[in-house]
Amino acid sequence: MEKIKMTTPLVEMDGDEMTRILWKMIKDELLTPFIELNTEYYDLGLEYRNETNDQVTVDSAEATKKYGVAVKCATITPNAARMTEYNLKEMWKSPNGTIRAILDGTVFRAPIIVKGIEPTVRTWKKPITIARHAYGDVYKGSEMKIPGAGKAEIVYTAEDGTETRELIHNFTGAGIVQGMHNLNESIESFARSCFNYALDTKQDLWFATKDTISKKYDHTFKDVFQEIYDAEYDEKFKAAGIEYFYTLIDDAVARVIRSEGGYIWACKNYDGDVMSDMVATAFGSLAMMTSVLVSPQGYYEYEAAHGTVQRHYYKHLKGEETSTNSVATIFAWTGALRKRGELDGNKELMEFADKLEKATIDTIEAGKMTKDLALITTLENVTVLNSEDFIKAVRETLEKMM
Ligand code: NAP
Ligand code: MG
């Protein structure tokens, strides 16, 4: 069989620990036998980030702007323990944070649905994709403990020195206050990323805030979305047969639980933090969750939602067998390859991505899976495979399909 050719390179961001091991196995077993893989390789493993003073992370993000599509392996975000473990010059920032700051995007997370790994919510039949705004609000807030009686105010001082004040509370005793902000520009790019992703995946878009209570703050989010929708997306949505739907956050939560899924749920920063953990858990496993960063300019960076699976890596280093789930990492590759194919008009590449996803799902549905899934599956007589054997089982399924 002739290998599939790629006209434009994919930006490949390699990573750390167990996911770095899986990365290589996936390439060797599932990609290079079938594709003339054309990537521009960036080693985001912690050692090389340290060696290049993290320049490699910046370069990889810039390359994503150049080529449009990247695929990223999970990476270590250094903490005190990692400083010693890797003998780091500095506690380098989270690569995801650095990349997000350069591409300015929204993160979309969707579960991979497989028969036998049943959602806790019985009505959910299709994936629910969470789109989380990744700037501001409580994550960039300032807070104060109020020791006793006194007045707390919000003060805005314009560049010309004019002050505008708003009373928060006349305290008669001790209490607490919090100040937070967001930027119209950031909300606008969040809105556009969501509308573009909805068009891209042909799914309805839901958005919810608490605008009835927060008449200026949350209401601005609602207004920005509506204005951009009316001006730029209404016709495109109608042509695609999809809907934009706004409601209150409490109503949204109730509707999500009653729904059968199959839409994108745009969430403010805090709502997205909380709801994505709820949705991921209710769908079964973090190892079955895909994640893609979409920039307002239409750059895409695909990854798995989980981390580097450190505990398994230490077992691997001791020569012990691991049973690490590679599904989300495989889907990061298929997502990126499909998008590359779409942008280049490369139908073969897109079809290959579809086949590899199907082969992965079929393998699990045939009862062959890693330990994390075997523990929660409703299938009987399952075969628990180690990290490598699972990937080999997917290859066997894939070869039968080719
Ligand atoms: P983690 O790597 O997601 O793993 C936490 C636990 O979840 C694992 O110990 C394992 O549980 C289970 N798990 C996660 N992914 C799995 C998979 N693919 N297959 C099987 N089990 C899986 O989170 P962490 O241990 O908190 O973080 C490790 C490193 O990853 C940290 O240095 C962190 O900075 C980094 N991180 C990176 C990203 C990213 O690059 N996007 C995201 C999050 C964390 P059992 O041990 O019980 O089997
Ligand atoms: Mg969280």
Side-chain angles (χ1 to χ4, degrees):
M1 196 196 72
E2 223 186 292
K3 287 191 191 181
I4 299 164
K5 293 193 175 49
M6 292 174 64
T7 47
T8 319
L10 196 61
V11 178
E12 176 182 351
M13 305 168 172
D14 206 345
D16 288 299
E17 299 194 312
M18 201 57 212
T19 42
R20 189 179 178 98
I21 309 282
L22 298 178
W23 195 258
K24 186 169 184 311
M25 288 179 189
I26 291 168
K27 283 174 68 179
D28 290 349
E29 291 289 332
L30 303 176
L31 302 175
T32 52
F34 308 97
I35 309 174
E36 268 181 31
L37 203 60
N38 178 3
T39 71
E40 195 164 289
Y41 180 86
Y42 292 87
D43 184 0
L44 267 55
L46 187 50
E47 278 166 25
Y48 195 63
R49 272 184 276 149
N50 189 53
E51 209 177 303
T52 61
N53 298 328
D54 211 20
Q55 184 61 38
V56 63
T57 308
V58 174
D59 291 347
S60 73
E62 291 299 338
T64 307
K65 282 185 170 174
K66 181 171 165 196
Y67 296 115
V69 190
V71 57
K72 181 181 170 290
C73 180
T75 46
I76 292 169
T77 298
N79 55 16
R82 302 296 198 170
M83 291 288 288
T84 353
E85 185 184 353
Y86 285 83
N87 194 17
L88 300 179
K89 297 186 233 174
E90 250 183 64
M91 204 186 285
W92 307 110
K93 285 192 208 142
S94 141
N96 286 345
T98 304
I99 295 166
R100 225 171 279 161
I102 294 172
L103 299 181
D104 172 28
T106 302
V107 177
F108 297 86
R109 293 204 156 167
I112 299 155
I113 307 267
V114 177
K115 276 194 217 89
I117 312 295
E118 302 303 332
T120 314
V121 180
R122 268 177 290 120
T123 50
W124 289 357
K125 301 279 181 274
K126 298 179 212 160
I128 295 168
T129 303
I130 298 262
R132 174 183 169 187
H133 186 211
Y135 179 84
D137 301 349
V138 72
Y139 301 86
K140 281 214 179 266
S142 352
E143 307 183 319
M144 207 187 276
K145 285 196 174 187
I146 303 295
K151 182 167 71 172
E153 290 177 299
I154 303 177
V155 183
Y156 162 68
T157 314
E159 277 185 321
D160 69 4
T162 330
E163 283 186 358
T164 314
R165 288 169 179 271
E166 188 71 41
L167 178 71
I168 298 173
H169 192 64
N170 269 316
F171 284 90
T172 52
I176 40 181
V177 287
Q178 181 179 61
M180 57 187 194
H181 80 281
N182 222 298
L183 305 170
N184 286 15
E185 201 181 12
S186 175
I187 302 168
E188 284 159 18
S189 77
F190 172 46
R192 287 199 178 89
S193 296
C194 291
F195 290 132
N196 287 341
Y197 196 72
L199 283 170
D200 236 37
T201 59
K202 297 226 164 22
Q203 298 184 85
D204 290 346
L205 177 70
W206 295 14
F207 183 43
T209 72
K210 196 69 184 175
D211 68 273
T212 46
I213 301 296
S214 172
K215 290 186 176 14
K216 289 189 178 131
Y217 200 102
D218 277 22
H219 215 291
T220 299
F221 278 83
K222 178 185 180 184
D223 292 344
V224 166
F225 266 69
Q226 195 62 51
E227 280 156 26
I228 292 181
Y229 177 76
D230 291 342
E232 301 169 30
Y233 290 95
D234 189 40
E235 278 171 30
K236 290 179 194 160
F237 268 53
K238 282 183 181 136
I242 57 171
E243 261 184 36
Y244 169 57
F245 169 63
Y246 179 86
T247 186
L248 284 169
I249 184 70
D250 39 353
D251 180 46
V253 170
R255 282 171 189 266
V256 164
I257 296 296
R258 284 197 307 263
S259 77
E260 60 165 39
Y263 49 86
I264 299 159
W265 182 12
C267 291
K268 286 178 62 202
N269 211 346
Y270 176 81
D271 298 340
D273 186 351
V274 177
M275 291 307 165
S276 67
D277 281 14
M278 186 196 74
V279 168
T281 307
F283 269 109
S285 161
L286 198 60
M288 297 293 282
M289 195 83 174
T290 63
S291 183
V292 56
L293 174 72
V294 182
S295 89
Q297 289 80 22
Y299 309 130
Y300 294 77
E301 184 239 301
Y302 293 82
E303 61 170 350
H306 58 78
T308 60
V309 211
Q310 181 182 18
R311 213 178 62 82
H312 296 203
Y313 181 60
Y314 289 168
K315 280 175 77 178
H316 171 82
L317 287 181
K318 280 194 258 168
E320 291 171 30
E321 195 173 67
T322 59
S323 185
T324 316
N325 188 334
S326 50
V327 173
T329 308
I330 295 172
F331 273 63
W333 274 101
T334 52
L337 290 170
R338 186 185 295 105
K339 177 54 72 180
R340 188 69 274 162
E342 202 182 301
L343 295 177
D344 294 348
N346 188 342
K347 240 183 109 188
E348 271 190 294
L349 196 59
M350 292 169 72
E351 281 168 7
F352 175 78
D354 292 344
K355 277 188 193 146
L356 178 48
E357 287 184 0
K358 186 167 186 311
T360 307
I361 289 171
D362 286 358
T363 303
I364 299 171
E365 290 181 348
K368 294 174 201 164
M369 60 190 78
T370 45
K371 195 173 149 199
D372 57 314
L373 296 184
L375 288 170
I376 56 171
T377 187
T378 52
L379 297 176
E380 279 162 30
N381 306 318
V382 302
T383 313
V384 181
L385 298 176
N386 66 33
S387 308
E388 191 171 10
D389 287 348
F390 175 73
I391 290 172
K392 288 197 164 138
V394 173
R395 175 162 180 178
E396 228 170 82
T397 317
L398 181 62
E399 270 171 351
K400 278 184 210 140
M401 286 166 57
M402 299 299 270

